[in-house]
Structures are given as structure tokens and as C-alpha cells.
Amino acid sequence: MAKAYNPYENMLSVLESAANMLGLAEEDYVTLKYPERELKVSLPIRMDDGSVKVFEGYRVQHSSLRGPCKGGVRFHQNSDMDEVKALAAWMSFKCAVANIPYGGGKGGIKVDPSTLSKNELERLTRRFTAMILPLIGPEKDIPAPDVNTNAEIMGWMMDTYSMFQGYPVSGVVTGKPIEIGGSLGRGEATGRGVMFIADEILKKKGMKPQDCRVAVLGMGNVGGVAARLMHKAGYKIVAVGDVSGGLIDYNGIDMDALSAYLAEKRGNVVKDFKTATGKFVTNEDVIACDCDLLVPAALENQINASNAANVKASIIVEGANGPTTVEADAILDAAGKTIVPDILANAGGVVVSYFEWVQNIQSISWTEADVNEALRKKMVLAFDEVWTKAQEYKTSMRMGAYMTAIGRLVAAKKIRGIFP
């Protein structure tokens, strides 16, 4: 029987490869192999029918070498400690690649939020916040939205934390509503960052957006936004997919129409959207479709050993965290594919989270145009640094990104030393 995919082992494998390529001794980076803190909590919740159910929650702080831990909270039925540990580590590397003064953290609750009422969801969120209270704070660990969480949930987390402090603490979370300290541009930041990175890799390849056919797997806050913004910028979106399956239309999909349809009411899915020449397919068909650029933007392990050889796209820009396994990486690399890794490609969300945190601390507010332009500059600078590192070592962009991140983290560790 094939070994089950473990995202944390996947992260460790890439970490080891990048560290070896840099010529580091294990002592230089060994602390990066272990999270600083792992917290597992039980969450008893009174359901609407009066019964009590107990859910399991997690918060992991991987590294605070370069600043407060930073990372989202996801609500998903398959969430577990290994996933959260991997996501926290990826956040450490992502923040280092973007060169913002954060470390990496992540949180999760093992729950299918679609089975809960809004009141149950709020009680679960507030209980989770109370249980991880000793770990979080504007100077310690700053949660944000992730899979199946949003600005409203961040508002509940901020309010719960503030009630314990006795005064409003807007900087404890990012990705919250504008009315309570959220940043303009934060909602689209991750998807917009994906588009900025796609623009840059196309320049390196001598291609133009209008000549680029794109497939996007995942129509949430990353993939959906990226597809809509790329469509607006002239890219031709030929395939999309979500939990219901995929849609392929080589004549191009009108993303404005699809986005409006998906936003009409909760529960709309791609399979119910009709186009004149489109065909409903599986998500595996989306991954294997005839396109130039593939954006895997759903969950981990989307491109793996079983389907990597089917990928026709010459460029993969990873919108999700950990969408490509180590085995798939090797297959794609051997086939000459260019992969722009997650810790670079989807860093737009944490970059604008950093901008939001700065605004909260300074009690100021930036315009959306200022936020988007600052994001573009950060993403382009990070891309150029990773590209240069990859060219210098004659390696992949993934290795270039990890070497950039590890170099900064190891330097911080050497400066700070080992306590006591």
C-alpha cells in the first residue's frame, strides 16, 4: 500500500535539499526542522439543538526568529497537526522570502463548517480564540483567514481577544473587516499577488498575457480572485475547477460572468455554470488540460506522482500552499516545467496582512491604490531575488525560494544565538 501523503515530511524534504545546496551544516538549520510550539485544544460547543459536541483545534508556531508568528486559521474536516505544522513552516519561509519581519504560525479546527449554523460557527470561533489566547497577540502571533474562514470570523476572533484584554486590540488578527481596522486591498491580496508573479514569469519567458492560456484549480479567495484579475489583464482563462469538478472552454471563460454567478448565493459551484462551448470535466482534466500556465489554488497534494506526467502547462504558479508533492516536483522538473513555488507565488496575502498590522499599530489608513502598489513592489522584488538565486545555483525556482528564505532565517539565528 502506498504511503499516505504527509505535508510536514514533504516540507522537511525540500528544506534538507535547499540547505544542502547552500552548503549548510545541519547545526545551522536544525531548529527549522522543529516547530517552537504546538498546541492542541479540545473545543466543547453547545449546538443549536442543545447538545454538546467537542471539536479539535490546533495552533502551531514554527519560528519567531524574524518577528511575531503569522499565519492563517483554516476550518476543514481533514485538518490535523501534521498539516498545520507544515503550513506554519511554509509561513516562516514565505515571510522570509517576502522579507517582512514575521515568523511562521498556523491554526486549524477539524470541522466541516458547512454543517454548522452561523451561531454555532461563531461559538466555535470564540471558544477556539479563548483556548489559544496564551499564544496570540499583536507582538506574539497574529492569525488571519485561510481555507473556509473570512473577515467575519476574524472579527469574532478580534472581539474575543479584546474582551479578555478589556480594550479593543485591532492588531491581534489581520484580514478583518475594514470597519474594525482591516486594510483596503486585503481581500484580493493573495490572488492579486499570484497575478503579479504570473506577469513576472511571463516576462522571463518572453510571453505576453494575451498569448497565455490559463487553467485555475480552486475558485476561492485565491484562485477565484487570481482568475478574475488575470482575465481583466488580458490572460485567456480556458479552464477552472472547484469542489464540484471543472469547466474547460478553449474559447475562453468570461470570469466576470462566472464570478458574478458564484457570488449570487452561497453554494453555487462551477458545475452549474454553462457556457456555449464549455464542457464539464473532472479536476484531473483541468490539471491535464491544454494550457500554458496552471494555477493550482485549492489544497495541498493536488499535483502528485499519479498525475504530474499529465500536466501540459509549461508554467505552474502555485496559488495554494503545498499543492505539489516532492515526487511530482521531480517529474515536472525532468519534463522541463517551470514551477513558481507557493512560498513566493501566494505571499501577497501575508504581505498585505503585514501592511494591515502596520496600519493598526500606527493608527493610520492607506488608500487601496497605495496598498496595491506597495504589494506589487514587494512581490516583484521577491521574485527577482528568487530568480537570481535560482540562476546563480542553476536550480529550480523552488530551491531558489527556499535558499533565499533559509539564508535569512539562518542569519537571524546566528545573530540571536541559542538561549540560554
Side-chain angles (χ1 to χ4, degrees), residues 145-418:
D146 196 71
V147 175
N148 293 327
T149 58
N150 55 23
E152 182 176 43
I153 287 172
M154 292 304 105
W156 294 334
M157 292 190 73
M158 178 256 184
D159 182 71
T160 304
Y161 183 88
S162 297
M163 290 301 101
F164 279 93
Q165 302 305 312
Y167 56 89
V169 186
S170 57
V172 67
V173 297
T174 58
K176 55 193 172 291
I178 303 296
E179 294 81 359
I180 56 172
S183 175
L184 295 168
R186 174 59 183 88
E188 293 186 332
T190 310
R192 190 178 298 277
V194 168
M195 182 188 70
F196 288 150
I197 293 298
D199 290 345
E200 295 306 306
I201 192 63
L202 287 197
K203 291 175 187 175
K204 296 296 185 184
K205 298 294 184 180
M207 299 171 64
K208 296 180 179 179
Q210 55 266 34
D211 301 322
C212 185
R213 301 164 302 160
V214 179
V216 180
L217 186 59
M219 283 288 103
N221 192 47
V222 179
V225 169
R228 179 169 53 80
L229 293 176
M230 292 172 80
H231 171 73
K232 186 176 180 180
Y235 290 81
K236 187 176 185 179
I237 311 300
V238 298
V240 295
D242 66 6
V243 292
S244 68
L247 172 68
I248 293 179
D249 189 338
Y250 289 115
N251 291 316
I253 299 169
D254 183 345
M255 285 307 306
D256 291 332
L258 176 56
S259 296
Y261 171 79
L262 294 175
E264 277 179 17
K265 60 181 181 179
R266 186 178 179 184
N268 276 351
V269 288
V270 165
K271 75 178 180 65
D272 297 323
F273 183 75
K274 303 293 189 296
T275 67
T277 53
K279 183 172 73 168
F280 184 67
V281 296
T282 68
N283 283 327
E284 289 297 317
D285 294 323
V286 172
I287 290 172
C289 78
D290 187 12
C291 65
D292 305 298
L293 192 154
L294 172 63
V295 181
L299 296 172
E300 307 91 52
N301 194 27
Q302 295 170 68
I303 305 176
N304 49 55
S306 67
N307 62 16
N310 301 329
V311 174
K312 295 184 180 66
S314 60
I315 303 169
I316 296 121
V317 177
E318 295 183 334
N321 292 308
T324 310
T325 66
V326 171
E327 296 80 8
D329 238 359
I331 294 168
L332 294 167
D333 190 55
K337 312 293 186 183
T338 297
I339 305 173
V340 186
D342 48 0
I343 62 172
L344 169 61
N346 70 21
V350 74
V351 168
V352 176
S353 279
Y354 168 61
F355 296 160
E356 180 179 330
W357 180 71
V358 168
Q359 292 171 78
N360 293 159
I361 290 171
Q362 298 181 348
S363 298
I364 59 175
S365 180
W366 300 358
T367 67
E368 186 168 358
D370 286 342
V371 170
N372 291 341
E373 179 57 19
L375 171 62
R376 186 192 66 79
K377 289 179 179 178
K378 266 290 187 188
M379 297 300 290
V380 171
L381 178 59
F383 177 91
D384 287 343
E385 289 175 334
V386 169
W387 178 267
T388 299
K389 184 71 75 174
Q391 296 298 303
E392 178 187 350
Y393 282 82
K394 296 180 173 55
T395 188
S396 67
M397 288 199 72
R398 189 181 308 284
M399 286 296 109
Y402 270 79
M403 285 191 288
T404 300
I406 292 166
R408 287 177 175 147
L409 287 161
V410 168
K413 190 63 180 176
K414 286 182 177 178
I415 292 167
R416 292 184 59 171
I418 301 289

